[in-house]
Amino acid sequence: MKINISRHQIYILLLSFFLFLFVLIFSFGLLIPEGQEYRLKRTALKKELKEYNQYQVFHNETLETLKELQSKNRNIITAFDRPFSPERFEKQHKSHFSSLTISKIQRAKDEEGFSVYEVNTTSHISSPTNFYDFLDALNKGDWIIGVNFPIKFVRDGEMIKSSFTMKVYANNKDKNSSASVSSAK
């Protein structure tokens, strides 16, 4: 029995064999190693995406807390930016005292990024409750003020003479502006 194979069939068989050989070499030489590298990169990407999502959640929670604190403490934040005015202070708090005098403002040593001014005050009040009302008004006032102890009360006839020092805190604009400039670089 004689096998009859035409030339076309031999060419097609050789071409098929070379194509099959090319596909095998291409698969084992290029596709399989790249596939393994792809899987490694995909798992690394999944880890990075998981970490990114955790940081994004933390960022969103922190931003929400910041916005909430800013809205809740808006008066305090604006009080730090407001410059201290002795005349305005006297005008606002004159109602708590019979007489109120504020001596010259002395710049004290800056504390942790804040400008600090010491203010000496002398006043006449009719009762200690007026002084406590004054302290409550300071908490709701336009500036961040700390009253230093001791507070001296001396009876002067029907009136009580009080003298005390206060520290007025304000943002140290020089340090904050230089810090923001250096962080921008």
Side-chain angles (χ1 to χ4, degrees):
M1 194 165 130
K2 198 172 183 187
I3 300 177
N4 233 356
I5 301 177
S6 69
R7 260 191 189 159
H8 285 315
Q9 289 177 341
I10 292 176
Y11 290 144
I12 290 176
L13 190 60
L14 282 174
L15 184 63
S16 299
F17 177 74
F18 285 123
L19 284 175
F20 179 71
L21 189 63
F22 174 75
V23 167
L24 284 178
I25 291 171
F26 182 74
S27 299
F28 288 109
L30 189 64
L31 289 180
I32 292 175
E34 289 294 323
Q36 290 173 346
E37 186 177 325
Y38 168 77
R39 276 182 256 135
L40 293 174
K41 287 182 179 180
R42 186 178 64 193
T43 56
L45 178 65
K46 283 183 180 180
K47 287 179 186 177
E48 288 180 14
L49 279 175
K50 183 179 177 184
E51 187 176 322
Y52 171 77
N53 288 334
Q54 288 174 342
Y55 283 126
Q56 189 67 37
V57 167
F58 176 73
H59 172 267
N60 292 341
E61 290 172 355
T62 306
L63 183 64
E64 184 178 317
T65 305
L66 173 68
K67 296 290 184 187
E68 180 181 318
L69 288 174
Q70 281 178 334
S71 66
K72 186 189 288 183
N73 300 312
R74 184 174 320 151
N75 293 337
I76 295 170
I77 293 168
T78 56
F80 274 120
D81 290 333
R82 199 170 286 131
F84 182 69
S85 166
E87 296 83 22
R88 188 162 178 235
F89 179 82
E90 283 184 36
K91 210 182 264 186
Q92 280 184 347
H93 298 291
K94 192 83 164 169
S95 62
H96 299 286
F97 302 100
S98 302
S99 69
L100 174 66
T101 56
I102 297 178
S103 66
K104 186 173 171 125
I105 299 174
Q106 302 168 4
R107 178 129 184 197
K109 183 180 175 188
D110 290 352
E111 296 177 9
E112 296 181 20
F114 296 107
S115 298
V116 181
Y117 298 94
E118 279 195 19
V119 180
N120 296 321
T121 58
T122 307
S123 60
H124 286 84
I125 55 176
S126 56
S127 72
T129 55
N130 289 356
F131 187 76
Y132 294 123
D133 292 339
F134 164 71
L135 291 178
D136 286 337
L138 278 181
N139 287 334
K140 298 171 187 165
D142 293 339
W143 303 282
I144 304 298
I145 297 176
V147 177
N148 296 338
F149 291 99
I151 301 171
K152 297 175 187 166
F153 291 105
V154 177
R155 184 103 178 138
D156 186 21
E158 290 291 316
M159 302 299 265
I160 300 172
K161 183 179 179 183
S162 64
S163 64
F164 54 94
T165 60
M166 302 182 303
K167 282 189 176 180
V168 180
Y169 295 88
N171 271 342
N172 191 347
K173 295 187 190 316
D174 296 336
K175 287 187 180 179
N176 289 340
S177 63
S178 64
S180 63
V181 168
S182 64
S183 65
K185 291 179 182 178

